[in-house]
Amino acid sequence: MQNLYPILGGAEQSIVTLITQLRKRGHPVSHICTGNYSEELVNTIEHHDIVVTQLNWAAVTINKAEQFGKPSVVFIRSLENVCRKVYNDPVFLSQCEQKCKKCPHRITGYEEHGRALRKASLILGNSKWTSKMFKEEHGLQSEYIYPFIDSEYYSNIELKERKYIAMNKLSWPDGSEIFLDIAERMPRQQFKIVGYEGTHSQRPLPRNVKLTGMCKDAQEMYEDVSIWLYPNLHGTFGRVVIEAQLAGIPVLGAARGPVLEDQMTPYTVKDYRNPAAWKREILNITRDKKQPMTDFSNFERDVQIEKFIQLTEAL
């Protein structure tokens, strides 16, 4: 996770898990990390049957795979794949509702990247919502595979003094402004934000908010949390929503995107830009003794690995 040290994003974590699990199942896998045409990239693609890529490496890898007549598989894990304003303009992103066709700033992606995506043999969204959005807004047909999450690992996290309401990353797109507004409305409650700082307003933190920085492991990240908030404004999955629940922590999420489409948590906030609405739902969770969790069977790592194998074997 991008909240842990050393820094490793959810996209990278999923690829590492995929490589490990494929090798355990007897599939030979090589991996490289380069965004440019290079001898290493050429040799790796030329001598393998299928090429898998994601993020910034998608365009160069898909184009080279086409040159050698190899099928290419691309994971879509963020809106960066279709909108160049997403990560370059945080103010724009904070207002983004993923209605690309109606957006006055509509840019359907970097030209080279967009052309490459249409050459890919298989596009894999990281949620049902991502695949649906890519088809409706951009005309790209795709399947979906959830990020590969080790349910046993997170289920074994030991919860200790559960005193914090938490979220990940002090970042405007991740909803930290909403989080800080909520904290100001609940001065007697302790809050924490884990992970590194992204683009944010530089406003002073309320006295009841702790910024932890990077965590050494998931145990440290989740052990003292009573409720996890996911006010994310642009995410295409949000693996922390599943991880926290596996650890036994109820998650309250913004009622948008995959949180709704993929039924990631039973607790959602419809008016998710309103901190008062979040406060109401937080109080409801604290009064809910049952605190139901989502159905994790749909998100099981091995189920997703087998689905990936079936889809790629059909190429």
Side-chain angles (χ1 to χ4, degrees), residues 109-139:
Y110 303 101
E111 290 184 6
E112 181 186 10
H113 197 90
R115 287 195 298 269
L117 286 178
R118 285 166 173 78
K119 295 178 184 177
S121 309
L122 176 63
I123 298 176
L124 296 174
N126 64 346
S127 67
K128 189 186 301 182
W129 176 82
T130 305
S131 290
K132 180 179 178 182
M133 190 273 286
F134 263 66
K135 182 177 181 180
E136 292 180 352
E137 300 294 335
H138 305 284

Short mmCIF file of all heavy atoms in Angstrom, two decimals, residues 109-139:
data_model
loop_
_atom_site.label_atom_id
_atom_site.label_comp_id
_atom_site.label_asym_id
_atom_site.label_seq_id
_atom_site.Cartn_x
_atom_site.Cartn_y
_atom_site.Cartn_z
N GLY A 109 -7.56 11.46 -22.66
CA GLY A 109 -6.30 10.78 -22.35
C GLY A 109 -5.18 11.23 -23.27
O GLY A 109 -5.40 11.86 -24.29
N TYR A 110 -3.98 10.93 -22.89
CA TYR A 110 -2.85 11.23 -23.75
C TYR A 110 -3.04 10.49 -25.08
O TYR A 110 -3.43 9.34 -25.09
CB TYR A 110 -1.57 10.78 -23.08
CG TYR A 110 -1.35 11.40 -21.73
CD1 TYR A 110 -1.62 10.70 -20.56
CD2 TYR A 110 -0.86 12.70 -21.61
CE1 TYR A 110 -1.42 11.26 -19.32
CE2 TYR A 110 -0.67 13.28 -20.37
CZ TYR A 110 -0.94 12.57 -19.23
OH TYR A 110 -0.75 13.13 -18.01
N GLU A 111 -2.76 11.17 -26.17
CA GLU A 111 -3.04 10.59 -27.49
C GLU A 111 -2.37 9.23 -27.66
O GLU A 111 -3.00 8.27 -28.10
CB GLU A 111 -2.60 11.56 -28.58
CG GLU A 111 -3.46 12.81 -28.66
CD GLU A 111 -3.06 13.71 -29.81
OE1 GLU A 111 -2.19 13.28 -30.61
OE2 GLU A 111 -3.61 14.80 -29.93
N GLU A 112 -1.09 9.16 -27.34
CA GLU A 112 -0.37 7.90 -27.50
C GLU A 112 -0.97 6.82 -26.61
O GLU A 112 -1.15 5.67 -27.02
CB GLU A 112 1.11 8.09 -27.17
CG GLU A 112 1.93 6.82 -27.34
CD GLU A 112 3.37 6.98 -26.88
OE1 GLU A 112 3.69 8.01 -26.26
OE2 GLU A 112 4.17 6.07 -27.14
N HIS A 113 -1.29 7.20 -25.37
CA HIS A 113 -1.84 6.24 -24.42
C HIS A 113 -3.21 5.75 -24.90
O HIS A 113 -3.52 4.56 -24.84
CB HIS A 113 -1.96 6.90 -23.05
CG HIS A 113 -2.13 5.93 -21.94
ND1 HIS A 113 -1.08 5.38 -21.26
CD2 HIS A 113 -3.25 5.37 -21.40
CE1 HIS A 113 -1.52 4.55 -20.33
NE2 HIS A 113 -2.83 4.53 -20.40
N GLY A 114 -4.04 6.69 -25.38
CA GLY A 114 -5.37 6.32 -25.86
C GLY A 114 -5.33 5.37 -27.03
O GLY A 114 -6.09 4.40 -27.10
N ARG A 115 -4.43 5.64 -27.97
CA ARG A 115 -4.30 4.74 -29.14
C ARG A 115 -3.82 3.36 -28.70
O ARG A 115 -4.29 2.33 -29.21
CB ARG A 115 -3.32 5.33 -30.15
CG ARG A 115 -3.85 6.53 -30.91
CD ARG A 115 -2.98 6.83 -32.13
NE ARG A 115 -1.62 7.17 -31.75
CZ ARG A 115 -1.20 8.42 -31.52
NH1 ARG A 115 -2.04 9.42 -31.63
NH2 ARG A 115 0.07 8.64 -31.19
N ALA A 116 -2.91 3.33 -27.75
CA ALA A 116 -2.38 2.05 -27.27
C ALA A 116 -3.46 1.22 -26.59
O ALA A 116 -3.55 0.00 -26.80
CB ALA A 116 -1.21 2.28 -26.31
N LEU A 117 -4.30 1.85 -25.77
CA LEU A 117 -5.36 1.11 -25.08
C LEU A 117 -6.27 0.39 -26.07
O LEU A 117 -6.74 -0.71 -25.81
CB LEU A 117 -6.18 2.06 -24.20
CG LEU A 117 -5.54 2.55 -22.91
CD1 LEU A 117 -6.47 3.52 -22.19
CD2 LEU A 117 -5.20 1.38 -21.99
N ARG A 118 -6.50 1.01 -27.21
CA ARG A 118 -7.39 0.41 -28.20
C ARG A 118 -6.71 -0.74 -28.96
O ARG A 118 -7.36 -1.49 -29.66
CB ARG A 118 -7.90 1.49 -29.16
CG ARG A 118 -8.96 2.35 -28.50
CD ARG A 118 -9.27 3.64 -29.24
NE ARG A 118 -10.41 4.31 -28.63
CZ ARG A 118 -10.34 5.02 -27.50
NH1 ARG A 118 -9.19 5.16 -26.87
NH2 ARG A 118 -11.42 5.58 -26.99
N LYS A 119 -5.41 -0.87 -28.81
CA LYS A 119 -4.68 -1.99 -29.42
C LYS A 119 -4.57 -3.18 -28.47
O LYS A 119 -4.22 -4.28 -28.90
CB LYS A 119 -3.25 -1.56 -29.79
CG LYS A 119 -3.15 -0.50 -30.86
CD LYS A 119 -1.67 -0.16 -31.07
CE LYS A 119 -1.47 0.96 -32.06
NZ LYS A 119 -0.02 1.30 -32.17
N ALA A 120 -4.82 -2.97 -27.18
CA ALA A 120 -4.61 -4.02 -26.19
C ALA A 120 -5.52 -5.21 -26.47
O ALA A 120 -6.67 -5.06 -26.87
CB ALA A 120 -4.87 -3.48 -24.79
N SER A 121 -5.00 -6.40 -26.23
CA SER A 121 -5.79 -7.63 -26.43
C SER A 121 -6.85 -7.76 -25.35
O SER A 121 -7.94 -8.31 -25.60
CB SER A 121 -4.87 -8.85 -26.39
OG SER A 121 -3.78 -8.70 -27.26
N LEU A 122 -6.55 -7.29 -24.14
CA LEU A 122 -7.47 -7.42 -23.02
C LEU A 122 -7.26 -6.24 -22.07
O LEU A 122 -6.14 -5.98 -21.65
CB LEU A 122 -7.23 -8.74 -22.29
CG LEU A 122 -8.04 -9.01 -21.02
CD1 LEU A 122 -9.53 -9.09 -21.33
CD2 LEU A 122 -7.56 -10.30 -20.34
N ILE A 123 -8.34 -5.54 -21.76
CA ILE A 123 -8.31 -4.46 -20.77
C ILE A 123 -8.99 -4.96 -19.51
O ILE A 123 -10.11 -5.50 -19.56
CB ILE A 123 -9.01 -3.19 -21.29
CG1 ILE A 123 -8.30 -2.65 -22.53
CG2 ILE A 123 -9.07 -2.12 -20.21
CD1 ILE A 123 -8.99 -1.46 -23.17
N LEU A 124 -8.33 -4.79 -18.37
CA LEU A 124 -8.88 -5.24 -17.10
C LEU A 124 -9.06 -4.05 -16.16
O LEU A 124 -8.09 -3.45 -15.71
CB LEU A 124 -7.93 -6.26 -16.44
CG LEU A 124 -7.72 -7.58 -17.20
CD1 LEU A 124 -6.66 -8.41 -16.50
CD2 LEU A 124 -9.04 -8.36 -17.30
N GLY A 125 -10.31 -3.70 -15.87
CA GLY A 125 -10.59 -2.69 -14.87
C GLY A 125 -10.40 -3.29 -13.49
O GLY A 125 -10.47 -4.51 -13.31
N ASN A 126 -10.14 -2.44 -12.49
CA ASN A 126 -9.94 -2.96 -11.14
C ASN A 126 -11.22 -3.00 -10.32
O ASN A 126 -11.20 -3.25 -9.12
CB ASN A 126 -8.86 -2.14 -10.40
CG ASN A 126 -9.28 -0.70 -10.18
OD1 ASN A 126 -10.25 -0.21 -10.78
ND2 ASN A 126 -8.55 0.00 -9.34
N SER A 127 -12.36 -2.75 -10.97
CA SER A 127 -13.66 -2.90 -10.31
C SER A 127 -14.74 -2.96 -11.39
O SER A 127 -14.51 -2.60 -12.55
CB SER A 127 -13.94 -1.71 -9.37
OG SER A 127 -14.12 -0.50 -10.11
N LYS A 128 -15.91 -3.41 -10.99
CA LYS A 128 -17.05 -3.44 -11.91
C LYS A 128 -17.36 -2.03 -12.38
O LYS A 128 -17.66 -1.79 -13.54
CB LYS A 128 -18.26 -4.05 -11.20
CG LYS A 128 -19.43 -4.35 -12.10
CD LYS A 128 -20.64 -4.82 -11.29
CE LYS A 128 -20.32 -6.07 -10.49
NZ LYS A 128 -21.51 -6.55 -9.74
N TRP A 129 -17.27 -1.08 -11.44
CA TRP A 129 -17.55 0.32 -11.76
C TRP A 129 -16.56 0.86 -12.79
O TRP A 129 -16.94 1.55 -13.73
CB TRP A 129 -17.48 1.18 -10.50
CG TRP A 129 -17.67 2.63 -10.78
CD1 TRP A 129 -18.84 3.30 -10.95
CD2 TRP A 129 -16.61 3.61 -10.96
NE1 TRP A 129 -18.60 4.63 -11.22
CE2 TRP A 129 -17.24 4.84 -11.24
CE3 TRP A 129 -15.23 3.54 -10.92
CZ2 TRP A 129 -16.52 6.00 -11.45
CZ3 TRP A 129 -14.50 4.71 -11.14
CH2 TRP A 129 -15.14 5.92 -11.40
N THR A 130 -15.28 0.55 -12.64
CA THR A 130 -14.26 1.02 -13.57
C THR A 130 -14.56 0.53 -14.98
O THR A 130 -14.52 1.31 -15.95
CB THR A 130 -12.85 0.55 -13.15
OG1 THR A 130 -12.60 0.96 -11.81
CG2 THR A 130 -11.79 1.12 -14.06
N SER A 131 -14.87 -0.74 -15.12
CA SER A 131 -15.17 -1.30 -16.44
C SER A 131 -16.42 -0.67 -17.04
O SER A 131 -16.46 -0.35 -18.23
CB SER A 131 -15.35 -2.82 -16.33
OG SER A 131 -14.12 -3.44 -16.05
N LYS A 132 -17.43 -0.47 -16.21
CA LYS A 132 -18.67 0.14 -16.68
C LYS A 132 -18.43 1.57 -17.13
O LYS A 132 -18.89 2.00 -18.19
CB LYS A 132 -19.71 0.11 -15.56
CG LYS A 132 -21.05 0.72 -15.93
CD LYS A 132 -22.01 0.62 -14.76
CE LYS A 132 -23.36 1.27 -15.08
NZ LYS A 132 -24.28 1.21 -13.91
N MET A 133 -17.66 2.33 -16.35
CA MET A 133 -17.37 3.71 -16.68
C MET A 133 -16.55 3.82 -17.96
O MET A 133 -16.81 4.67 -18.82
CB MET A 133 -16.63 4.38 -15.52
CG MET A 133 -16.48 5.90 -15.65
SD MET A 133 -15.03 6.41 -16.57
CE MET A 133 -13.75 6.06 -15.36
N PHE A 134 -15.58 2.92 -18.14
CA PHE A 134 -14.75 2.97 -19.34
C PHE A 134 -15.57 2.67 -20.59
O PHE A 134 -15.34 3.25 -21.63
CB PHE A 134 -13.59 1.98 -19.21
CG PHE A 134 -12.32 2.63 -18.73
CD1 PHE A 134 -12.24 3.15 -17.45
CD2 PHE A 134 -11.23 2.75 -19.57
CE1 PHE A 134 -11.10 3.76 -17.01
CE2 PHE A 134 -10.08 3.37 -19.14
CZ PHE A 134 -10.01 3.87 -17.85
N LYS A 135 -16.53 1.78 -20.47
CA LYS A 135 -17.37 1.47 -21.63
C LYS A 135 -18.32 2.61 -21.95
O LYS A 135 -18.45 3.04 -23.10
CB LYS A 135 -18.15 0.18 -21.38
CG LYS A 135 -19.01 -0.23 -22.57
CD LYS A 135 -19.73 -1.53 -22.31
CE LYS A 135 -20.57 -1.93 -23.53
NZ LYS A 135 -21.29 -3.21 -23.32
N GLU A 136 -18.99 3.13 -20.91
CA GLU A 136 -20.01 4.17 -21.12
C GLU A 136 -19.40 5.50 -21.53
O GLU A 136 -19.94 6.21 -22.37
CB GLU A 136 -20.84 4.34 -19.85
CG GLU A 136 -21.72 3.15 -19.54
CD GLU A 136 -22.53 3.35 -18.27
OE1 GLU A 136 -22.30 4.36 -17.56
OE2 GLU A 136 -23.40 2.51 -17.99
N GLU A 137 -18.29 5.86 -20.90
CA GLU A 137 -17.71 7.18 -21.12
C GLU A 137 -16.65 7.21 -22.22
O GLU A 137 -16.41 8.25 -22.81
CB GLU A 137 -17.10 7.70 -19.82
CG GLU A 137 -18.10 7.84 -18.67
CD GLU A 137 -19.17 8.91 -18.93
OE1 GLU A 137 -18.89 9.83 -19.71
OE2 GLU A 137 -20.27 8.81 -18.36
N HIS A 138 -16.02 6.06 -22.50
CA HIS A 138 -14.89 6.08 -23.44
C HIS A 138 -14.97 5.00 -24.52
O HIS A 138 -14.08 4.90 -25.35
CB HIS A 138 -13.58 5.94 -22.66
CG HIS A 138 -13.42 6.98 -21.60
ND1 HIS A 138 -13.09 8.28 -21.88
CD2 HIS A 138 -13.61 6.92 -20.26
CE1 HIS A 138 -13.05 8.97 -20.75
NE2 HIS A 138 -13.37 8.18 -19.76
N GLY A 139 -16.02 4.19 -24.48
CA GLY A 139 -16.21 3.19 -25.52
C GLY A 139 -15.21 2.06 -25.50
O GLY A 139 -15.00 1.39 -26.52
#
